[in-house]
Amino acid sequence: MLELKKIAFSADGKTILHDVDLVVPDGELMAITGPNGGGKSTLARIIAGIEKPDSGQILWNGQDITQLSITDRARLGLGYAFQQPVRFKGISVFELLKLAAGGDLTIAQACDYLSQVGLCAREYVDRMADGSLSGGELKRIEIATILARKVKLAVFDEPEAGIDLWSFQNLIQVFEDLQKKQQESIVIISHQERLLKIADRIVVIEGGRVAAQGDAQKILPDLLQQKPCCKAGRGC
Amino acid sequence: MGQEHLSWNVTGTNGLAARQEHQGIDMAQQHLLREIAGLNGMPDGAFNIRANGATAQRQSSAHVKIVGKTDVQGIDIYVEPGTKDEVVYIPVVMSQSGIQELVYNDFHIGAGADVTIIAGCGIDNCGHEDSQHDGIHTFYLDKGAHVKYVEKHYGCGAGDGGRIMNPQTVVEIGEDGYMEMESVQIKGIDSTNRVTKATLQKNAIFVVTERLMTHGQQNAISEFEVMLAGENSGAHVVSRAVAREQSTQQFISRIYGEAPCNGHTECDAIIMDDAKISAIPEIKANCPDASLVHEAAIGKIAGEQIIKLMTLGLTAAEAEEQIIEGFLK
Ligand SMILES: Nc1ncnc2c1ncn2[C@@H]1O[C@H](COP(=O)(O)OP(=O)(O)OP(=O)(O)O)[C@@H](O)[C@H]1O
Ligand SMILES: [Mg+2]
């Protein structure tokens, strides 16, 4: 179980998260949504240890991990698929998956992870994880690195971004399987109704606060009925 | 180690082994040969192994003749026209402190031949005196000849004597010729000043990949000068470099287009600690149909690359090693 207690974060003199409280129980598939710039990715980066909160506490299965490094948190079983995946000159897709798996991975296993995210494994396993991959390809490989890690809690930051319609169904399947088979907790940050629908619970983050949370069946209809936000300049 | 020793012809009586100078290959030299040429024993085919300032073993093959020079140190390598798929090994190893040599190796590649040449130099300097190998390699590629030339430089040994290498490569590629040059210097060479000069005739292609890493107080200079003389000739010179600690590097690349041609030079460098790198490209076109491009970039390892690998469970130091290893691969 992951518990965030009164997490506050600011950058450039601007408060980005205001005392956020959030609990992700074991085995839950949680979706986080909300307007652009609301603080979702910042929260994910704080969970992964990439950013340190100004105040507040992060507990993982009761252990205070607020001061732990990125590496230590990863080793405790936390995983984070970036919103914008990183490109590596000279590291192949296979090598990246192997690093993710902790050094031990067969080609067959790597191919299996790639197939799960809808990539023709034989074509990609030897490719470089660099600028030669398209945005959608890189995004799927990013998801595959999390599959290869076998984490206890995975945060996927907009996994649907750039992924084509045909693969989308596949992706949903991946998350459902992850949850069922491995009893993992999964947090999906998303703007996609179809992904929100498969969640047990939806959390809305807006202006650096938890604006709403609850069962997907309850929250989703409200969300879909909301008027366009004036902040986005679409008029209200 | 002991068993591997047996696989070397320690008496030097193999095939056309050099008459006077031959000698055994010692343990330190065996280690160097593995590092620079991947050799675990006597190769098949033509080879020349130079150890501690003299030829230790030499063998010609049916289509590749290796002949010692009489006026200066070095060898002539004659590849018969049409020779296919042969690999020629010409490594140099130095395991004694204080040896300094200047060696001339000339490669005559016959028309239509297609061969791989594995050169490379390893210095194990456990002493106080400088060990220095300066090699001048000249390639003459006849019409349609293809050469893949691989050169690896490596230094080791606990002594405080310098390990110095100044290789010069001169390449003349005839019509329709193709040469691919791969040079690697990842470890242990204190000072290097490398010069590569090429002249290309009609339809000739020259592709260079250089990988360089310096650390400690090391200093490396790598200079390329490519003359695209013939119509439709092309050159692609790519350098990947990492400079760590207090080391310094200088990359100079000049490409001259004298005819309708394509030239591209690229230097991509990672700088760390207190290192210094400079990249000085020059492209000059003397023909309106010459197309020449240079790219140079120097920068730190992108922080997000380290962060991503840390989220996979690597420490910052492990992440850095992985990134450098990949970058130089
Ligand atoms: N290091 C930083 N310095 C300054 N501002 C930052 C920094 N990191 C995030 N922000 C700002 O914090 C706010 C929240 O950013 P965040 O990336 O968390 O939003 P998000 O909810 O993930 O948005 P999106 O849906 O567009 O991905 C934004 O206004 C962003 O500009
Ligand atoms: Mg975001």
Side-chain angles (χ1 to χ4, degrees):
Chain A
M1 183 170 68
L2 180 76
E3 294 168 84
L4 304 182
K5 295 189 167 173
K6 295 206 174 321
I7 296 294
F9 180 76
S10 53
D12 289 349
K14 188 182 132 199
T15 304
I16 296 167
L17 295 174
H18 302 265
D19 296 343
V20 172
D21 286 308
L22 196 68
V23 176
V24 188
D26 288 344
E28 181 172 276
L29 202 171
M30 172 192 279
I32 298 182
T33 191
N36 293 136
K40 303 179 295 296
S41 295
T42 306
L43 197 64
R45 292 164 64 82
I46 283 175
I47 294 171
I50 300 167
E51 306 282 4
K52 291 272 156 72
D54 300 335
S55 58
Q57 227 189 355
I58 310 168
L59 301 181
W60 172 240
N61 295 331
Q63 181 191 352
D64 187 339
I65 60 165
T66 321
Q67 297 309 323
L68 289 192
S69 68
I70 304 173
T71 309
D72 290 338
R73 294 187 202 197
R75 291 179 179 174
L76 285 176
L78 300 182
Y80 174 43
F82 288 26
Q83 181 168 2
Q84 263 135 13
V86 178
R87 296 169 194 270
F88 291 93
K89 249 178 217 170
I91 297 187
S92 73
V93 171
F94 175 66
E95 286 161 336
L96 195 60
L97 290 173
K98 196 167 161 186
L99 287 173
D104 223 9
L105 189 77
T106 64
I107 296 268
Q109 286 168 321
C111 287
D112 184 43
Y113 295 127
L114 290 172
S115 317
Q116 282 187 51
V117 295
L119 290 174
C120 171
R122 237 174 298 140
E123 244 176 71
Y124 286 93
V125 76
D126 288 331
R127 294 245 332 239
M128 287 294 151
D130 63 8
S132 72
L133 292 168
S134 79
E137 288 166 343
L138 205 63
K139 195 78 191 177
R140 296 172 197 218
I141 289 161
E142 180 76 4
I143 296 167
T145 61
I146 305 301
L147 301 181
R149 284 203 54 215
K150 300 208 177 19
V151 290
K152 300 200 182 79
L153 180 140
V155 181
F156 295 93
D157 201 342
E158 299 194 20
E160 77 276 12
I163 293 200
D164 59 61
L165 279 174
W166 293 272
S167 314
F168 196 79
Q169 196 52 45
N170 214 36
L171 195 66
I172 290 180
Q173 194 61 49
V174 167
F175 295 131
E176 288 183 325
D177 288 352
L178 262 185
Q179 189 196 19
K180 276 188 213 123
K181 281 192 216 137
Q182 303 182 4
Q183 293 297 305
E184 289 178 10
S185 303
I186 302 169
V187 177
I188 303 176
I189 298 173
S190 176
H191 300 289
Q192 255 291 333
E193 190 190 332
R194 287 168 67 195
L195 271 178
L196 301 183
K197 265 186 185 156
I198 63 165
D200 300 317
R201 198 153 56 103
I202 296 178
V203 174
V204 181
I205 292 195
E206 200 175 330
R209 298 175 207 273
V210 176
Q213 62 174 310
D215 285 352
Q217 294 95 317
K218 232 184 84 205
I219 298 272
L220 199 55
D222 293 353
L223 271 181
L224 295 172
Q225 275 182 13
Q226 270 178 18
K227 289 192 181 133
C229 169
C230 50
K231 273 198 287 184
R234 284 172 287 175
C236 14
Chain B
M1 276 294 254
Q3 278 187 331
E4 275 157 20
H5 194 83
L6 295 175
S7 62
W8 289 100
N9 185 348
V10 290
T11 55
T13 52
N14 186 22
L16 300 161
R19 259 173 298 124
Q20 318 128 344
E21 305 168 316
H22 58 68
Q23 60 184 64
I25 305 285
D26 67 28
M27 290 297 208
Q29 293 167 357
Q30 287 178 39
H31 165 74
L32 293 170
L33 285 166
R34 255 196 309 276
E35 283 289 336
I36 61 168
L39 283 176
N40 279 313
M42 198 76 70
D44 296 333
F47 67 87
N48 186 86
I49 296 168
R50 186 177 175 86
N52 290 341
T55 290
Q57 312 249 324
R58 176 183 301 158
Q59 174 173 288
S60 292
S61 70
H63 304 292
V64 180
K65 298 274 173 293
I66 302 183
V67 184
K69 284 190 185 294
T70 48
D71 48 345
V72 287
Q73 291 286 326
I75 48 177
D76 279 288
I77 294 121
Y78 296 94
V79 176
E80 268 181 24
T83 304
K84 295 283 181 215
D85 301 326
E86 270 210 47
V87 182
V88 182
Y89 289 89
I90 51 152
V92 173
V93 290
M94 298 165 93
S95 55
Q96 262 170 30
S97 190
I99 294 182
Q100 298 184 6
E101 59 179 6
L102 172 62
V103 177
Y104 294 82
N105 292 340
D106 293 343
F107 303 80
H108 310 267
I109 316 293
D114 187 351
V115 292
T116 298
I117 295 163
I118 313 272
C121 179
I123 298 180
D124 183 344
N125 191 353
C126 293
H128 304 295
E129 290 173 82
D130 288 355
S131 294
Q132 175 166 354
H133 172 80
D134 294 350
I136 300 180
H137 290 187
T138 309
F139 290 83
Y140 303 96
L141 273 69
D142 285 350
K143 192 172 163 34
H146 277 225
V147 171
K148 178 170 178 172
Y149 176 54
V150 182
E151 188 186 67
K152 199 165 166 185
H153 289 168
Y154 171 79
C156 62
D160 56 6
R163 294 174 291 262
I164 303 164
M165 286 183 200
N166 296 315
Q168 251 189 64
T169 310
V170 179
V171 177
E172 292 187 15
I173 310 181
E175 204 174 314
D176 299 328
Y178 175 93
M179 177 150 160
E180 192 182 324
M181 174 169 164
E182 208 180 289
S183 79
V184 182
Q185 182 175 315
I186 305 281
K187 233 182 137 188
I189 302 302
D190 299 312
S191 164
T192 193
N193 187 347
R194 153 198 300 279
V195 178
T196 305
K197 286 187 179 170
T199 306
L200 279 68
Q201 302 307 324
K202 192 176 167 190
N203 298 331
I205 306 279
F206 186 41
V207 178
V208 181
T209 337
E210 175 182 74
R211 281 164 292 162
L212 184 63
M213 180 156 79
T214 51
H215 50 97
Q217 303 294 325
Q218 295 172 355
N219 177 41
I221 302 174
S222 182
E223 198 175 333
F224 289 92
E225 192 176 300
V226 180
M227 177 76 76
L228 297 168
E231 200 183 319
N232 239 337
S233 55
H236 189 62
V237 176
V238 177
S239 167
R240 288 262 176 103
V242 176
R244 319 174 80 152
E245 294 159 2
Q246 285 84 42
S247 65
T248 57
Q249 290 184 14
Q250 202 173 27
F251 174 77
I252 303 159
S253 175
R254 303 188 190 95
I255 296 192
Y256 302 136
E258 302 288 333
C261 60
N262 275 294
H264 174 231
T265 159
E266 181 184 321
C267 167
D268 201 348
I270 291 181
I271 183 164
M272 299 169 73
D273 314 312
D274 302 313
K276 292 188 174 64
I277 303 180
S278 71
I280 310 165
E282 181 190 1
I283 51 179
K284 197 157 84 184
N286 286 326
C287 168
D289 290 318
S291 157
L292 307 175
V293 176
H294 75 68
E295 295 172 85
I298 301 171
K300 284 195 300 201
I301 294 176
E304 58 169 13
Q305 294 187 345
I306 294 180
I307 288 174
K308 172 65 198 175
L309 295 185
M310 287 172 77
T311 66
L312 299 180
L314 281 73
T315 63
E318 287 166 352
E320 207 171 85
E321 282 313 310
Q322 285 292 335
I323 292 163
I324 289 172
E325 195 184 298
F327 181 77
L328 290 175
K329 203 168 43 197

